[in-house]
Amino acid sequence: MYSINLQAFYDGMSSYALAKTTTDIKKWRKRGRKTIKKFVRWMKDCPSNNAHKFLLLKAEDASLFAAKSKKKKEIAEQSYNAAIVTATDSGFVNIAAIASERAADFYNNIGQDDQFSKCIAQAYQFYFKWGAYGKCECIAKKYPGIAFNAQYAQ
């Protein structure tokens, strides 16, 4: 079940990434929403392994329309925050890192610079804790104006 769950999660995340970067938003959103439905079922059996993934996919779905809908923006914000907390509480620092980075991108896109800075610094810390030092280096190079916690700086 775990490998199926993980493959489905990354398939859903890839679908939402394609929905944001291609002209066929309808096709890719439909595929992402199918993945969300799977996680609704899987959460009933094992919430500690699936709730954070469901919440992150839900946030990605809502973020597609956050610029046009106050309700979607609120759903995205709440779902990103809940995904980060739930992943952390369940011991999935890797998903907490990804969720923090996706939340940072969301806030950057809607012009909330303070929230962006907070989330990208948090993503850096989670990636560092996970041992993804190359990812930390990429983040630091991409956002040189962000002051990352010296404890995590390389």
Side-chain angles (χ1 to χ4, degrees), residues 8-77:
F9 172 69
Y10 287 114
D11 181 64
M13 291 298 291
S14 297
S15 295
Y16 285 115
L18 287 165
K20 292 175 184 181
T21 58
T22 66
T23 57
D24 202 353
I25 187 173
K26 201 173 193 177
K27 171 186 172 181
W28 295 112
R29 183 174 188 230
K30 182 178 179 181
R31 186 171 175 157
R33 290 175 69 88
K34 282 184 181 180
T35 303
I36 288 174
K37 287 179 184 177
K38 291 177 185 179
F39 277 96
V40 168
R41 289 192 315 267
W42 293 338
M43 274 194 320
K44 292 175 185 169
D45 294 331
C46 191
S48 63
N49 281 345
N50 296 299
H52 54 282
K53 294 177 184 92
F54 162 77
L55 289 163
L56 182 50
L57 290 165
K58 181 179 174 182
E60 289 290 290
D61 185 71
S63 74
L64 292 173
F65 302 102
K68 297 177 182 177
S69 166
K70 183 178 178 181
K71 183 177 180 182
K72 291 289 186 182
K73 179 180 172 274
E74 289 172 1
I75 290 169
E77 289 177 313

Side-chain angles (χ1 to χ4, degrees), residues 30-153:
K30 182 178 179 181
R31 186 171 175 157
R33 290 175 69 88
K34 282 184 181 180
T35 303
I36 288 174
K37 287 179 184 177
K38 291 177 185 179
F39 277 96
V40 168
R41 289 192 315 267
W42 293 338
M43 274 194 320
K44 292 175 185 169
D45 294 331
C46 191
S48 63
N49 281 345
N50 296 299
H52 54 282
K53 294 177 184 92
F54 162 77
L55 289 163
L56 182 50
L57 290 165
K58 181 179 174 182
E60 289 290 290
D61 185 71
S63 74
L64 292 173
F65 302 102
K68 297 177 182 177
S69 166
K70 183 178 178 181
K71 183 177 180 182
K72 291 289 186 182
K73 179 180 172 274
E74 289 172 1
I75 290 169
E77 289 177 313
Q78 292 168 359
S79 297
Y80 281 123
N81 290 333
I84 294 163
V85 169
T86 307
T88 303
D89 290 349
S90 297
F92 289 92
V93 69
N94 57 328
I95 305 298
I98 294 166
S100 297
E101 186 177 14
R102 298 304 310 137
D105 185 62
F106 166 74
Y107 287 118
N108 193 34
N109 287 338
I110 62 170
Q112 290 189 7
D113 295 340
D114 289 343
Q115 283 297 103
F116 161 74
S117 296
K118 176 184 168 260
C119 288
I120 200 65
Q122 183 179 45
Y124 183 97
Q125 291 172 357
F126 282 130
Y127 282 124
F128 190 91
K129 186 175 180 182
W130 184 27
Y133 306 121
K135 182 64 175 177
C136 292
E137 188 178 321
C138 288
I139 290 172
K141 284 181 182 177
K142 187 173 182 179
Y143 306 108
I146 305 292
F148 296 104
N149 189 328
Q151 171 186 354
Y152 298 101

